[in-house]
Amino acid sequence: MAKYDRFLWREKTTLIALAAAASSFIAGLMLPVNPQGSDPEILLSPTEKMGHHTPEKSGIDILALKAQRDEAFVKVFSRLEQEAQDRRLMVSVPTQFQGKTFQEVTLSSKEKVIALTFDDGPWPKSTLEVLEILKKNNIKATFFMVGKNVKNFPHLARQVSLDGHAIGNHTWSHLYHRFNETGASSEIDRTSDMIYQTTGIKTTLFRPPGGHLKNGLAAYAHKKNYAVVMWSSDSRDYSRPSVPLFIKHALTGITPGGIVLMHDGGGNRDHTVRALPQLITEYKKRGYRFVTVPELMEMQDKEVKLAAAAKSASPKAQSAAPKTQPAAPKTE
Ligand SMILES: [Zn+2]
C-alpha cells in the first residue's frame, strides 16, 4: 500500500511540476529569465515548494522530468506564437521595407493614419498607464522594447502583446557606442529571442537607440532584413516638457503615414502619461486614426501592389500610378 502511495505521489509531483512550468510561462514569468531568480530546478522539487511531506527518496527521474518539462515549454511557445499570429501581431515586413530605414510611409491616398510608438519599456507603472490610455481610446500602437527590460518585466511585455500592440526591437542594453558585428548580434538577436520567448512575437522591426544609424546596429539590422523604423514627429518627451509643449512637438510635421516618437520606459514618464490623452484628442480633431507600424507598412505595400497591377493591366494607367517608393531615409 505504501509503495502504491509513493507511486501516486511520484505521478502527482510530475504533474505539479509540469503545471507549474506551463503556468509560469503563461503568466509571462518565464522561468529562465525570471528576475526573481527562479531556478528551473526549483520546479523539480515542488514538494518542498508547496510545503508537503517529502518522501526520503522521491525516486523522481530528473532527466525524464526535464525532457517532459522541455516538451511542455515547446508547447507553450507554440501556443504563444499562435496567439500572436491570431492577433495579427506577426505580420511579416513587406519586401520593400526589408533591410530599409524609413521615417514614415508614403500613402498616395493621403489617408489620415498615424502610428504612435513608445520606446525603452517595458517599465513599471508607466507602461501599464500608457496601455490603459490606449485601451480607453481603442488605439493599437507599437512598442520598441529594450531586451533587458523585457527580461526584468516579462509580465508587462506580455501585457503589451495581449492588448494587441505591435512590438519592435530596441536592443538589449540601449547603448550608443559603436558595435562590431558580434556586439550588434548580441544586442539585437538576444532581444528578439527574449521578445519571442516572452510574448510569442517574432519581431521584424528595429529602432536604434537614440536614432543612431551609424554605429553598426542599423547595419546589422539591415543585414538581418529588419525594417529600421525611425520617426517623423518627436514628442521630445525625454526632456519632460509641459503638456502644451509636448503636444506642440508631437504635432509638428505630422502627415498621413507619419510615425510619432514617445517613451513608456527608461525613466520617469509621468509627463508622457499626462500629455497622451490630450495628444490623442488633438490628432483625432485633425481627422487622424491610429494604426501600428506593421499596418502602416502593409498599407503602403498594398498601394504599391495595386499600382503595379494597374500598370501591367493598362500601360496608359502608368501616368496615373501613385508614387510608390518608400520614404527615403534621412541617413544611411
Ligand atoms: Zn530608446
Side-chain angles (χ1 to χ4, degrees):
M1 191 61 189
K3 205 173 173 184
Y4 181 62
D5 281 348
R6 188 165 294 175
F7 171 74
L8 280 180
W9 177 249
R10 214 173 91 182
E11 296 305 296
K12 214 165 145 189
T13 48
T14 307
L15 283 172
I16 292 167
L18 286 172
S23 58
S24 297
F25 266 88
I26 290 158
L29 298 170
M30 202 182 52
L31 286 163
V33 296
N34 188 339
Q36 268 68 33
S38 297
D39 184 336
E41 295 296 327
I42 287 170
L43 282 175
L44 302 175
S45 313
T47 49
E48 284 172 21
K49 202 177 169 188
M50 299 176 74
H52 287 295
H53 165 71
T54 310
E56 271 183 48
K57 279 189 179 178
S58 68
I60 293 174
D61 183 341
I62 302 288
L63 283 178
L65 200 49
K66 274 184 173 167
Q68 282 173 301
R69 186 196 59 184
D70 289 349
E71 206 177 302
F73 284 1
V74 167
K75 276 185 190 157
V76 173
F77 279 144
S78 28
R79 224 202 63 203
L80 283 174
E81 194 177 323
Q82 187 57 50
E83 279 177 14
Q85 265 164 3
D86 293 347
R87 292 196 300 279
R88 294 198 27 83
L89 299 178
M90 298 272 279
V91 185
S92 60
V93 170
T95 325
Q96 62 172 310
F97 291 100
Q98 287 177 13
K100 299 282 178 354
T101 299
F102 61 100
Q103 298 163 304
E104 61 195 338
V105 306
T106 309
L107 298 172
S108 56
S109 64
K110 298 285 176 217
E111 191 177 339
K112 284 191 162 183
V113 287
I114 198 172
L116 303 184
T117 65
F118 297 91
D119 290 9
D120 299 1
W123 202 254
K125 188 170 166 280
S126 43
T127 296
L128 289 178
E129 288 170 340
V130 166
L131 287 177
E132 192 56 36
I133 295 167
L134 294 176
K135 191 177 270 180
K136 261 188 201 155
N137 287 277
N138 198 23
I139 290 172
K140 301 295 181 219
T142 307
F143 289 75
F144 288 91
M145 295 184 175
V146 171
K148 66 177 179 187
N149 294 345
V150 178
K151 180 184 174 185
N152 287 337
F153 311 112
H155 58 296
L156 297 177
R158 180 95 176 110
Q159 194 57 52
V160 171
S161 142
L162 282 173
D163 282 8
H165 302 289
I167 296 179
N169 183 324
H170 197 40
T171 73
W172 185 266
S173 42
H174 205 277
L175 297 169
Y176 294 166
H177 64 72
R178 176 147 198 95
F179 289 88
N180 61 20
E181 188 156 323
T182 313
S185 157
S186 165
E187 284 292 318
I188 295 173
D189 295 340
R190 193 148 65 118
T191 300
S192 284
D193 288 349
M194 182 58 62
I195 289 170
Y196 173 63
Q197 287 164 11
T198 310
T199 67
I201 294 175
K202 283 178 183 163
T203 188
T204 41
L205 310 175
F206 176 71
R207 176 172 280 168
H212 293 291
L213 289 168
K214 301 279 187 190
N215 63 355
L217 292 171
Y220 183 80
H222 283 163
K223 197 175 161 187
K224 290 283 187 161
N225 273 342
Y226 281 83
V228 176
V229 185
M230 302 295 276
W231 54 88
S232 52
S233 291
D234 183 355
S235 68
R236 296 191 228 163
D237 58 350
Y238 40 82
S239 60
R240 298 166 56 78
S242 63
V243 171
L245 201 54
F246 180 108
I247 289 168
K248 191 181 161 216
H249 291 155
L251 290 175
T252 304
I254 202 68
T255 52
I259 298 171
V260 187
L261 172 67
M262 287 175 277
H263 294 80
D264 67 313
N268 183 326
R269 299 304 177 203
D270 285 353
H271 284 64
T272 308
V273 170
R274 208 172 303 144
L276 185 56
Q278 206 177 315
L279 177 64
I280 290 169
T281 307
E282 291 299 326
Y283 284 135
K284 281 181 178 170
K285 264 193 217 164
R286 286 161 178 75
Y288 280 94
R289 71 179 178 89
F290 304 89
V291 295
T292 64
V293 170
E295 283 169 336
L296 268 190
M297 291 189 292
E298 268 192 345
M299 287 175 80
Q300 182 180 305
D301 192 51
K302 222 172 176 178
E303 283 192 355
V304 170
K305 282 179 179 153
L306 279 174
K311 192 176 159 188
S312 63
S314 157
K316 278 183 188 167
Q318 195 171 345
S319 58
K323 192 183 161 197
T324 56
Q325 291 306 307
K330 252 183 199 162
T331 46
E332 281 212 335

